[in-house]
Amino acid sequence: IYDLIFTGNMSSRKGLNGACSVHEYTGSFLGQSAHFKMTSVCGHVMTLDFIGKYNSWDKVDPAELFSKAPTEKKEANPKLTMVKFLQVEGRGCDCIVLWLDCDKEGENICFEVLDAVLPVMNKTRGLERMVYRAKFSSITDTDICNAMNHLGEPNRNEALSVDARQELDLRIGCAFTRFQTKYFQGKYGNLDSSLISFGPCQTPTLGFCVERHDKIQSFKPETYWVLQAKVNPEKENSLTLDWDRVRVFDREVAQMFLNITKMAKEAKVESVSKKEKVKQRPLALNTVEMLRVASAALGMGPQHAMQIAERLYTQGYISYPRTETTHYPENFDLKGCLRQQANNPYWAETVKALLSEGINRPRKGHDAGDHPPITPMRAATEAELGGDGWRLYEYITRHFIATVSADCKYLQTTISFSIGPERFTCVGKVVTSPGFTEIMPWHSIPLEESLPHCEKGDLFPIGEIKLLEKQTSPPDYLTEAELITLMEKHGIGTDASIPVHINNICQRNYVTVESGRRLKPTNLGIVLVHGYYKIDAELVLPTIRSAVEKQLNLIALGKANYHQVLEHTLDIFKRKFHYFVDSIAGMDELMEVSFSPLAATGKPLSRCGKCHRFMKYIQAKPSRLHCSHCDDTYSLPQNGTIKLYKELRCPLDDFELVLWSSGSRGKSYPLCPYCYNHPPFRDMKKGMGCNECTHPTCQHSLSMLGIGQCVECENGVLVLDSTSGPKWKMACNKCNVIVHFFENAHKVRVSPETCDLCEAALVDVDFNKAKSPLPGDETQHSGCVFCDPVFQDLVELKHAAMRHPMHRGGQGKRQGRGRGKGRRPGGRLNPKKPKDKMAALAAYFV
């Protein structure tokens, strides 16, 4: 920059930190003679961090990091002693001119520098102000001199937007990362990552990769058939025709079309059309497009490509590489940039032709108001730049030349044939004007066999007609280029931070980079994303981060309040964090299946309804069933035992039922693993067994086994436990009430008829003749459990022995063990009055 602005003597020396040089010289500033000092910084001077004890993972609850934990600005690299260096050099100065990068990060660094040097500078002495900001987009004499002659002020709002992003990423990222790392580390030995990190941008980036992986895993190929015809317009050459129906998925239908067309001996020309078409030259180059091409065509990772671009910029070969703009300003010197390239042997002829014939105005693109598109500013050779530097520079230059070149024009000929009743088409393209494809040959129209000259009505002999059997194929894993496109589309990250986020998910071992720079999620990456989806999908979906980015942009534009945006966003994520902590067992289930040897030691128990293979029962908490073939995990009721239920299957999904039991003194009920996790009816919730299922005809459902309203809770229903014989019982499907009845009965069934007094379902009971308690040695009786005098002495109310008060439906305050008629559960105060229709039952028990 000094070389471009000043001429004359300059003294240079190293600063006290040994990293930054200081150049001193005398010149003119704002019409006055002045002594100048010019130096630099190494990226951010300061970084945001928590104070003291809040950096300890063990002493602080991660939830405190959202609001209670104070933050402070610390030196980004203490070894460089940058603040001391700036203060030493700034002491006694009257003015400061800031030449930092002209983007939001650069604006933020401006204020970091000011915070260091303003306290030691001289107070204003007749000058308008002390602080000036140079705005430039490239390190060229025109741009630099123009910036020096039109000095402005640093933008406080843009700097605040960066401060807000830093604080949000620090508080949110650290809270989630600390919690899930501490929770899973040590619990699993093969996570392949020492840090289970979370980031508001990093996690949605990983989400895109896993979403594609899931589509690949769930893809089911379909067979289809294509009719291919060849005609022989000339004896030597044959012409392959495309079927207008494209493809059919039914073999017999395809065979029918083949048979019909085989009856024809000749193909008849139905129409010949010729159209001149245009392939547009590219828009001017912005950061995202450069990163896409670097990954897809040059095989460079986004982080590596960005580092090379920054080096080319600081050496003056290209303009500023961080820009969202694809539109050149009206006063941009396009011809001047083009003349710089007139002597390069690779494109000299094209450039000279453009300069002599006149350049085309670049296409109108998007003007983001930041910097001009990425443009070559100086001629270079491969020997100067070497390796990847030259490859990236070559692409940037070719792209620039293409933007001022003509569009590619070609003539497209389409011939339509009929073979019997079926239509076929053949398309040919002939380039009439190559335009920009001369400089970007990879975009050129592929050479094709020339089509024969023909007219409507012409007949051609058919060479062959055959049926091709093919299969639909799954999508491939995301390339880096595709991921960059998705991130840009959904507003995840900025043009500067996109490479950082992609690099992070690679370093964390969440994805691996395969051939073709495709990103394949690892087991850990897949489980994390599935866990976030299971607990709170918004943690991994791009929607919330995209909304936050919009708020940050509003801060930069001065349209939103920094403190309000910060407070509102942190409040949202604090609530999400507490919910995540409460629901972490959902992710733990997935983790344990993927990483713990428990999954390997699980025992086959019941069959999966999807693949009909045995699922493994993992007993360790939280107990669950896992189908290794389908890679699905099903939660089960906790704090009890699980066993197979007579190999019976659910009528809805064909999963084998399992029986949950809290022990001989407790209650038990069957459940379908799939329905328990995916409620089949609207009035059901996740975690309901067969005793709460409202299926109208299933023999295990509430509809078929429900007897009457619970005597304790408002919403519960007493359901017959059909596995409890000969010590028969019915249990409430909400609370822990159990009613023992009809001991030693041979069979107990719930009748479709109801009691006239209390509306409970009637019960049919069969006793063994030797042990029948019925009068007159009868063995069968049908009646109401609550109202029938014959059954009165055969019914006994108890409370289930629960293994844990937090068991679903169990309530901590009802811990009494009623032992007989008339006993209420211990600790129960102010019992509610029973409803009228339960009067008989209430009278009996009280």
Side-chain angles (χ1 to χ4, degrees):
I1 288 173
Y2 164 80
D3 288 340
L4 296 172
I5 301 177
F6 303 104
T7 53
N9 295 326
M10 170 182 72
S11 66
S12 297
R13 58 182 168 81
K14 278 286 182 186
L16 66 86
N17 62 5
C20 302
S21 296
V22 182
H23 310 291
E24 296 191 51
Y25 44 88
T26 302
S28 173
F29 182 69
L30 300 177
Q32 299 180 35
S33 178
H35 180 72
F36 289 85
K37 281 185 183 181
M38 181 172 267
T39 188
S40 62
V41 291
C42 303
H44 275 279
V45 179
M46 309 299 285
T47 186
L48 191 71
D49 203 356
F50 297 111
I51 65 164
K53 71 166 189 175
Y54 289 95
N55 280 315
S56 168
W57 285 40
D58 297 319
K59 294 178 183 176
V60 176
D61 181 353
E64 292 183 33
L65 301 181
F66 284 97
S67 52
K68 289 182 183 178
T71 58
E72 63 178 347
K73 290 268 189 178
K74 298 178 181 176
E75 282 203 50
N77 191 339
K79 290 180 181 177
L80 289 176
T81 60
M82 193 62 73
V83 172
K84 185 179 178 183
F85 161 68
L86 290 171
Q87 288 178 343
V88 167
E89 300 301 337
R91 192 175 303 280
C93 289
D94 297 305
C95 300
I96 180 167
V97 182
L98 299 156
W99 288 85
L100 283 306
D101 287 343
C102 295
D103 60 3
K104 289 171 190 167
E105 295 289 337
E107 221 63 33
N108 189 262
I109 299 171
C110 281
F111 285 92
E112 293 175 357
V113 171
L114 291 176
D115 288 342
V117 299
L118 281 179
V120 298
M121 286 173 64
N122 294 336
K123 302 305 173 191
T124 52
R125 294 182 301 179
L127 294 170
E128 287 182 21
R129 62 180 196 265
M130 299 167 65
V131 179
Y132 296 86
R133 176 72 162 112
K135 297 277 186 180
F136 58 99
S137 294
S138 61
I139 303 172
T140 60
D141 52 358
T142 311
D143 243 25
I144 297 301
C145 290
N146 192 45
M148 191 66 185
N149 294 330
H150 299 87
L151 294 173
E153 294 182 17
N155 187 322
R156 170 69 71 177
N157 289 327
E158 288 192 355
L160 282 174
S161 76
V162 174
D163 282 341
R165 180 184 283 109
Q166 285 179 349
E167 186 162 346
L168 288 174
D169 289 352
L170 175 73
R171 291 185 182 277
I172 295 166
C174 283
F176 278 92
T177 299
R178 287 186 192 182
F179 170 72
Q180 62 188 28
T181 302
K182 283 181 71 177
Y183 188 88
F184 293 121
Q185 230 175 24
K187 199 167 187 180
Y188 307 104
N190 55 343
L191 286 176
D192 299 330
S193 184
S194 57
L195 192 72
I196 315 297
S197 65
F198 174 93
C201 287
Q202 171 195 300
T203 305
T205 302
L206 174 61
F208 291 130
C209 300
V210 176
E211 184 184 10
R212 177 61 65 88
H213 167 83
D214 290 343
K215 283 180 181 175
I216 294 168
Q217 295 302 307
S218 61
F219 184 84
K220 292 181 180 176
E222 283 188 85
T223 306
Y224 64 91
W225 288 267
V226 176
L227 210 54
Q228 189 186 78
K230 289 186 179 180
V231 296
N232 300 324
E234 299 166 15
K235 288 184 180 178
E236 298 84 17
N237 299 326
S238 65
L239 204 60
T240 303
L241 311 183
D242 296 319
W243 192 21
D244 282 11
R245 293 184 192 271
V246 184
R247 61 186 179 181
V248 292
F249 287 88
D250 189 307
R251 173 67 198 253
E252 291 182 4
V253 172
Q255 188 64 46
M256 176 197 74
F257 284 126
L258 178 66
N259 295 340
I260 291 171
T261 50
K262 276 198 166 181
M263 293 167 68
K265 302 296 181 193
E266 291 178 312
K268 182 181 178 183
V269 176
E270 295 292 337
S271 66
V272 180
S273 68
K274 294 189 177 185
K275 284 184 182 175
E276 190 169 90
K277 296 207 165 188
V278 172
K279 186 173 186 177
Q280 284 190 312
R281 60 194 182 278
L283 285 166
L285 186 65
N286 67 0
T287 307
V288 169
E289 183 60 24
M290 179 189 74
L291 295 176
R292 268 199 291 254
V293 173
S295 175
L298 306 179
M300 296 182 202
Q303 182 92 333
H304 179 52
M306 204 69 225
Q307 288 168 351
I308 293 170
E310 284 168 358
R311 194 182 78 226
L312 292 173
Y313 162 67
T314 53
Q315 292 172 342
Y317 289 106
I318 64 172
S319 63
Y320 192 59
R322 291 195 183 112
T323 176
E324 296 175 15
T325 297
T326 57
H327 177 71
Y328 283 108
E330 295 299 321
N331 61 353
F332 194 90
D333 186 10
L334 294 165
K335 283 189 177 178
C337 292
L338 201 56
R339 283 192 199 99
Q340 297 272 359
Q341 306 297 333
N343 296 318
N344 190 299
Y346 289 103
W347 45 74
E349 284 184 26
T350 307
V351 170
K352 286 173 182 173
L354 280 169
L355 288 169
S356 62
E357 294 166 14
I359 64 171
N360 281 287
R361 200 61 214 155
R363 285 169 58 198
K364 188 173 175 62
H366 167 66
D367 185 0
D370 48 1
H371 295 276
I374 303 168
T375 311
M377 305 309 294
R378 205 170 100 197
T381 63
E382 189 170 356
E384 277 178 69
L385 303 180
D388 288 345
W390 166 254
R391 291 167 65 223
L392 188 61
Y393 174 82
E394 181 188 9
Y395 171 73
I396 291 168
T397 307
R398 285 183 181 275
H399 191 109
F400 166 69
I401 298 169
T403 61
V404 294
S405 300
D407 291 336
C408 172
K409 294 177 182 176
Y410 60 94
L411 188 69
Q412 181 170 296
T413 306
T414 307
I415 306 173
S416 181
F417 292 88
S418 63
I419 301 178
E422 287 305 292
R423 289 291 185 105
F424 293 81
T425 306
C426 190
V427 179
K429 296 171 186 173
V430 178
V431 176
T432 54
S433 171
F436 77 94
T437 60
E438 281 187 331
I439 195 72
M440 298 177 89
W442 57 91
H443 282 304
S444 58
I445 304 296
L447 291 171
E448 296 177 351
E449 290 182 30
S450 57
L451 297 183
H453 177 74
C454 57
E455 295 177 0
K456 184 179 178 181
D458 286 356
L459 298 172
F460 292 107
I462 297 170
E464 67 169 340
I465 298 179
K466 60 183 177 181
L467 206 57
L468 302 178
E469 183 178 309
K470 298 185 178 184
Q471 276 197 328
T472 55
S473 56
D476 213 333
Y477 285 103
L478 281 179
T479 61
E480 282 173 335
E482 291 167 333
L483 179 58
I484 291 166
T485 304
L486 282 170
M487 291 174 74
E488 184 194 31
K489 177 184 173 185
H490 292 282
I492 299 299
T494 61
D495 51 2
S497 65
I498 281 174
V500 178
H501 301 314
I502 295 176
N503 190 52
N504 280 345
I505 62 172
C506 295
Q507 286 190 332
R508 297 279 184 269
N509 195 36
Y510 294 161
V511 298
T512 55
V513 182
E514 305 289 309
S515 61
R517 298 211 67 86
R518 295 191 178 275
L519 300 170
K520 184 178 181 182
T522 61
N523 245 0
L524 178 58
I526 294 164
V527 168
L528 279 175
V529 170
H530 287 176
Y532 293 134
Y533 270 118
K534 194 172 183 180
I535 296 170
D536 181 358
E538 284 188 334
L539 292 175
V540 75
L541 290 172
T543 44
I544 279 204
R545 184 59 192 195
S546 180
V548 171
E549 289 287 351
K550 287 175 185 172
Q551 293 294 311
L552 295 174
N553 284 332
L554 290 176
I555 293 175
L557 295 169
K559 295 179 180 178
N561 181 280
Y562 163 79
H563 295 288
Q564 287 178 348
V565 170
L566 204 59
E567 192 177 326
H568 175 68
T569 308
L570 287 173
D571 182 56
I572 289 172
F573 274 96
K574 185 177 181 181
R575 291 163 189 263
K576 287 185 172 295
F577 176 78
H578 284 298
Y579 182 74
F580 180 75
V581 170
D582 292 341
S583 312
I584 192 66
M587 185 183 278
D588 193 25
E589 290 174 10
L590 301 175
M591 280 279 187
E592 199 164 71
V593 166
S594 297
F595 296 104
S596 172
L598 290 170
T601 55
K603 296 178 181 177
L605 179 70
S606 66
R607 288 185 186 272
C608 169
K610 295 178 182 178
C611 64
H612 300 292
R613 288 175 168 83
F614 277 103
M615 296 189 289
K616 284 187 175 179
Y617 171 46
I618 299 164
Q619 282 183 280
K621 288 183 181 179
S623 59
R624 73 220 80 152
L625 285 167
H626 177 68
C627 176
S628 54
H629 184 261
C630 301
D631 197 24
D632 286 330
T633 304
Y634 301 97
S635 301
L636 294 170
Q638 304 302 306
N639 307 310
T641 58
I642 292 282
K643 58 183 181 183
L644 194 60
Y645 185 49
K646 305 177 184 176
E647 295 186 349
L648 297 170
R649 294 179 183 267
C650 174
L652 294 173
D653 47 50
D654 215 29
F655 274 68
E656 281 189 338
L657 302 182
V658 294
L659 184 72
W660 176 87
S661 173
S662 63
S664 58
R665 292 170 54 210
K667 65 179 186 179
S668 57
Y669 56 85
L671 63 108
C672 162
Y674 191 86
C675 296
Y676 187 81
N677 290 271
H678 306 92
F681 303 111
R682 283 185 181 177
D683 55 352
M684 288 179 66
K685 293 178 183 175
K686 190 174 178 180
M688 289 186 170
C690 296
N691 62 343
E692 293 180 81
C693 176
T694 51
H695 192 294
T697 58
C698 175
Q699 59 178 329
H700 317 291
S701 70
L702 171 66
S703 310
M704 302 299 280
L705 297 177
I707 295 177
Q709 185 180 345
C710 177
V711 295
E712 291 280 335
C713 62
E714 284 187 350
N715 302 318
V717 176
L718 293 165
V719 181
L720 173 67
D721 182 350
S722 53
T723 65
S724 56
K727 295 184 177 181
W728 297 93
K729 59 188 174 187
M730 57 180 174
C732 176
N733 59 8
K734 298 289 185 190
C735 69
N736 58 353
V737 165
I738 290 182
V739 177
H740 287 268
F741 51 14
F742 316 129
E743 190 171 346
N744 296 321
H746 176 60
K747 196 178 286 184
V748 177
R749 291 182 300 273
V750 180
S751 168
E753 297 174 14
T754 56
C755 173
D756 295 331
L757 292 173
C758 68
E759 298 183 17
L762 301 184
V763 178
D764 300 330
V765 187
D766 288 357
F767 282 96
N768 289 324
K769 196 167 187 178
K771 297 182 179 180
S772 175
L774 299 176
D777 290 329
E778 288 182 4
T779 57
Q780 293 183 340
H781 187 75
S782 182
C784 174
V785 173
F786 311 119
C787 308
D788 194 320
V790 176
F791 286 159
Q792 274 192 3
D793 291 332
L794 305 177
V795 179
E796 181 184 12
L797 172 68
K798 286 190 177 182
H799 284 77
M802 290 299 176
R803 298 192 178 184
H804 194 282
M806 292 304 290
H807 170 79
R808 192 187 174 286
Q811 297 183 17
K813 65 181 181 180
R814 294 180 185 169
Q815 293 301 300
R817 306 272 195 267
R819 291 292 178 190
K821 292 187 286 182
R823 293 284 299 271
R824 301 295 277 178
R828 177 73 187 264
L829 302 174
N830 302 323
K832 294 177 183 176
K833 292 183 179 179
K835 296 181 181 178
D836 290 344
K837 66 181 182 179
M838 300 301 290
L841 175 66
Y844 173 79
F845 281 119
V846 173

